[in-house]
Amino acid sequence: MSRPTPIHPEPLGCNAEDQPCSACASETRVGGAAALEQARAVYLDGCGLLDSPSAWAGRRQFVVLDTGFGPGTRFLATWQAWLADAARPDMLHCVCVEWHPLAATDLIAACTDPSLLPLAHQLASAWPPAMRGLHQLQFAAGHVKLTLALGDVRELLPRLDLGADAIYLDGFTALGNPALRDPGVIKAAARLARPGARLASASVAPALCATLRQAGFTLRKLPCENTQAERLQGVYAPRWRTRRLEPRDAATGVERHALVIGAGLAGAASAQALARRGWTVDVLDAGGAAAGASALPAGLAHARISADDDRLARLGRAGLAALVAALPGSERHALWQGGGLLLAEPNSALPDLAAIATTLALPSSVAEVVDAGEASWRTGAQVDQGGWWQAGGVAAAGCLVRAWLATPGVRLQGGVRVQRLRRAPGFPATHPASSGHAMAPWQALDAAGCVLAQAPACILASALDTARLLSASGLDPSGPCLQDSQGLPLRAQAGQAFLVPASSLPRLARLQRPLVGDAYVLPLPPAALQALELPAGESWQLLGATYENDPEALMPVAAAWAHITRELEPLVGALPAAPPDGARVFRGVRAVAVDRLPCAGPWPDWEALAHARPAARQRPADELPPQPGLFLSTAMGSRGLTLAALAAECIASHIEGEPAPLERDLLAALAPGRFGLRRLLRLDTQGA
């Protein structure tokens, strides 16, 4: 089992000139006035972002890539320049890589310029835990987004998915970070550069310049003001095609109107993600808001902890952060109870958990090991096991769906069943990139063939019905080259949970935080209590859940209760043999993919792919040629609350051409076309 390199926060010190600096084994970086002067004179000026910036004038979106975040001076200076410009773009994205981040308090100490200090405080208050991966932070009411990529730049930069308009190339001095002199880093930066992207660096080293020219940059050296040193400016303008894939480009000239099929967690999250970006979104559902499994009054959101920090662990962290960021501000406290939860493990396993925590250098805000006594104190209930105390909480699922669907710009049509999709007739069949014409919008048709709604972008978030809808629309990979294949192999997994008065469970009567073992006990958030119109003066808890493979033959209520309480017994002791008086049972059916990962992203154009050369199918699933404007967000299983908002951000960022919230390997793991691609590859092998 491979061990990921942990992220260790870097201490702040002072150099010989009493300037704040941070030092690690491979580099020394200085903050304070010198860093701010360099940020403005070398990087902002070098990329056309200083004094009435010309580079971003008239743009709706602008993306900056910084290969070394350090004390954050360049980001703060860029943010300040954006605030000062009346002609600034609507969205400023900064994607910054850092292997040795400062602590949040040190970000403020490293900022010595009074004009930047208010921004530094905002940055510190949003600072994420020191865990590898991408962390997206939002400022200025969501108009400034910082994607902080924590890890080795040599590993992370090739895995980013974005299109950069400006590149701050950090380091490259003789004493600088040797990782930033790696030719692979330069090539990765060039792969992410949009045509005409500007580059700036404080180094003019011959080897660096040679590698940049080979990667497609035209360069010039300029003197640094008040010094004898030189600085480097560049523009990405290759003379020939140097990359297989073009970077993400900002959506321009597109009607900002989307169609979402499904009004559960996945559909509502997708609708609000686009509506917050200024889109109009029509949501269609046969039953209405939260009519399926999303109607559960409460649900868990938390990340997995694994010794090798596997895909689910990384997705869970990103998903939890995306959920918290997507909570409606005015209703946050009613809809969400954070503060952590207990993920119980046998007491004999606690030493192994402690070893994992040490190996991964887990911040306590992410997870820490607690014994049964500490767990009892934190949860407010008497428990017999310790385990992971980790970030997470409980959300009022059905209420959250309705809150997301109430986002301005979202229009819900309930009681309508979409029979199939089609492209609106009368439009060119070719892609707009090649024809210069608008792509035909997607139309949702009912059983009589009447158009229910249409829009250029369509997101299928209809759980188990998604596969049927694709097949009925002729969009599944079932043509002559893919007979009997399953392009979207989903299965139904039913579940039951019980809502009970807390007074009927003496050991759990004062439970304040979720308990999770082989089953769970959740205290209900205020919004759920209000929506269910439960009797006043009594607290209620949700016990769940069963995992049943046949939705048509559910366990009897007594058997379901016995199953859940038996799973909880090692954690909280014996519970009543039958559901207490006043208990309510909730049932739902989850959509689960065969690999138990969600499907989130563009749906492929299978016809084009089936007739392509076999080499075109030797690509990751996220690189398959898409059906323009068609996306899936489904197969959340029991992780809907944890992953729905993240899936929505993946899709919305793709549509808008924004930096992706996940690394490319995770985007490929979620790509809806991964199953059909495997089938195609098997057919290629058999044909060979």
Side-chain angles (χ1 to χ4, degrees):
M1 181 182 295
S2 62
R3 297 287 185 179
T5 303
I7 304 297
H8 292 282
E10 187 179 344
L12 184 71
C14 289
N15 62 12
E17 289 75 34
D18 202 31
Q19 290 285 334
C21 71
S22 56
C24 66
S26 61
E27 63 178 313
T28 299
R29 294 167 298 180
V30 180
L36 180 56
E37 180 180 354
Q38 184 190 67
R40 289 172 174 159
V42 174
Y43 296 98
L44 270 73
D45 183 63
C47 291
L49 303 178
L50 194 67
D51 299 330
S52 300
S54 60
W56 64 31
R59 302 280 296 274
R60 201 185 65 79
Q61 174 207 111
F62 194 85
V63 179
V64 177
L65 173 64
D66 190 339
T67 58
F69 186 80
T73 309
R74 287 189 296 275
F75 167 67
L76 295 174
T78 305
W79 182 4
Q80 185 184 57
W82 178 85
L83 287 170
D85 185 14
R88 60 181 176 264
D90 182 63
M91 289 294 307
L92 172 64
H93 291 274
C94 293
V95 182
C96 307
V97 185
E98 183 55 59
W99 196 356
H100 299 282
L102 293 175
T105 52
D106 287 339
L107 292 171
I108 299 172
C111 180
T112 59
D113 186 274
S115 68
L116 290 182
L117 201 54
L119 304 183
H121 278 281
Q122 292 184 53
L123 175 62
S125 65
W127 198 239
M131 289 293 294
R132 72 172 185 143
L134 307 190
H135 305 262
Q136 290 202 318
L137 315 179
Q138 299 188 32
F139 307 98
H143 292 277
V144 174
K145 289 188 178 181
L146 167 64
T147 301
L148 189 66
L150 296 185
D152 187 339
V153 69
R154 292 167 293 191
E155 298 176 4
L156 267 180
L157 207 60
R159 291 163 46 210
L160 297 181
D161 193 354
L162 59 95
D165 301 296
I167 300 174
Y168 299 163
L169 212 55
D170 180 50
F172 302 109
T173 63
L175 299 177
N177 187 343
L180 295 171
R181 299 195 297 272
D182 190 315
V185 171
I186 306 302
K187 293 177 182 178
R191 181 183 64 81
L192 299 173
R194 290 172 174 165
R198 303 192 194 187
L199 174 143
S201 175
S203 172
V204 294
L208 167 64
C209 293
T211 305
L212 284 169
R213 290 190 179 98
Q214 290 174 2
F217 289 92
T218 59
L219 304 174
R220 63 172 180 160
K221 300 176 185 178
L222 298 171
C224 290
E225 189 175 348
N226 300 326
T227 72
Q228 295 182 348
E230 292 182 301
R231 57 192 174 101
L232 195 65
Q233 289 184 4
V235 176
Y236 185 73
R239 299 178 185 177
W240 53 85
R241 183 179 175 88
T242 60
R243 51 197 180 188
R244 179 169 53 83
L245 290 175
E246 289 300 306
R248 291 191 173 200
D249 199 9
T252 57
V254 178
E255 181 187 2
R256 299 169 69 76
H257 181 199
L259 173 62
V260 175
I261 314 297
L265 277 167
S270 299
Q272 66 84 32
L274 286 173
R276 290 197 306 175
R277 290 167 165 83
W279 285 60
T280 298
V281 186
D282 288 311
V283 181
L284 309 182
D285 194 281
S294 300
L296 198 68
L300 278 167
H302 67 97
R304 163 186 164 91
I305 306 294
S306 69
D308 58 347
D309 201 32
D310 61 13
R311 291 185 305 188
L312 274 177
R314 295 159 59 200
L315 285 170
R317 287 199 302 273
L320 182 59
L323 169 64
V324 173
L327 292 171
S330 60
E331 302 174 73
R332 177 181 297 256
H333 297 297
L335 293 168
W336 170 251
Q337 287 186 337
L341 55 87
L342 175 69
L343 186 60
E345 297 282 356
N347 291 325
S348 60
L350 297 188
D352 293 334
L353 303 188
I356 292 173
T358 300
T359 299
L360 297 179
L362 290 177
S364 60
S365 59
V366 173
E368 60 182 325
V369 182
V370 297
D371 60 21
E374 180 70 14
S376 297
W377 181 80
R378 294 192 185 196
T379 61
Q382 182 183 348
V383 298
D384 298 328
Q385 291 180 330
W388 291 114
W389 184 263
Q390 61 178 89
V394 184
C399 298
L400 180 58
V401 168
R402 288 184 282 273
W404 278 341
L405 292 174
T407 305
V410 177
R411 305 182 299 203
L412 173 65
Q413 296 183 50
V416 293
R417 187 172 191 267
V418 179
Q419 182 64 27
R420 65 185 179 93
L421 300 172
R422 74 174 182 191
R423 290 283 191 186
F427 285 78
T430 52
H431 193 281
S434 60
S435 67
H437 297 287
M439 175 61 70
W442 289 100
Q443 294 182 330
L445 308 180
D446 64 13
C450 297
V451 177
L452 298 168
Q454 70 175 33
C458 179
I459 301 172
L460 302 186
S462 44
L464 289 166
D465 196 46
T466 304
R468 179 205 64 80
L469 190 52
L470 289 169
S471 180
S473 307
L475 296 167
D476 61 343
S478 57
C481 296
L482 282 173
Q483 291 179 357
D484 302 322
S485 70
Q486 283 188 298
L488 190 66
L490 305 181
R491 63 181 178 87
Q493 187 178 72
Q496 301 184 63
F498 293 85
L499 185 65
V500 301
S503 58
S504 65
L505 308 174
R507 289 186 64 173
L508 300 172
R510 297 184 179 180
L511 182 71
Q512 300 297 316
R513 295 287 183 267
L515 302 175
V516 186
D518 292 328
Y520 60 72
V521 187
L522 315 179
L524 260 62
L529 293 169
Q530 184 177 1
L532 292 169
E533 299 181 348
L534 296 169
E538 174 71 90
S539 59
W540 293 73
Q541 295 164 0
L542 190 71
L543 278 66
T546 63
Y547 290 83
E548 306 175 47
N549 293 326
D550 188 354
E552 302 300 323
L554 291 176
M555 291 182 188
V557 169
W561 175 264
H563 174 81
I564 292 169
T565 54
R566 184 170 57 250
E567 299 291 333
L568 285 171
E569 187 170 348
L571 178 57
V572 297
L575 293 170
D581 292 341
R584 302 185 189 182
V585 62
F586 291 87
R587 299 181 176 91
V589 179
R590 316 171 184 95
V592 183
V594 294
D595 60 4
R596 306 191 69 83
L597 288 174
C599 296
W603 184 244
D605 184 339
W606 294 110
E607 183 177 358
L609 192 62
H611 294 92
R613 295 179 180 179
R617 300 193 279 270
Q618 303 294 325
R619 298 183 178 184
D622 63 317
E623 296 182 15
L624 299 179
Q627 279 281 354
L630 185 61
F631 301 84
L632 266 61
S633 181
T634 189
M636 301 292 161
S638 59
R639 299 186 177 92
L641 273 169
T642 304
L643 298 178
L646 176 63
E649 282 299 309
C650 288
I651 293 170
S653 67
H654 187 104
I655 292 173
E656 288 280 83
E658 300 173 355
L662 292 173
E663 301 96 313
R664 294 184 65 92
D665 62 313
L666 294 181
L667 292 175
L670 300 183
R674 62 189 186 270
F675 305 108
L677 176 62
R678 292 166 192 165
R679 174 63 172 165
L680 274 174
L681 293 175
R682 284 196 297 269
L683 290 176
D684 288 342
T685 302
Q686 293 168 6

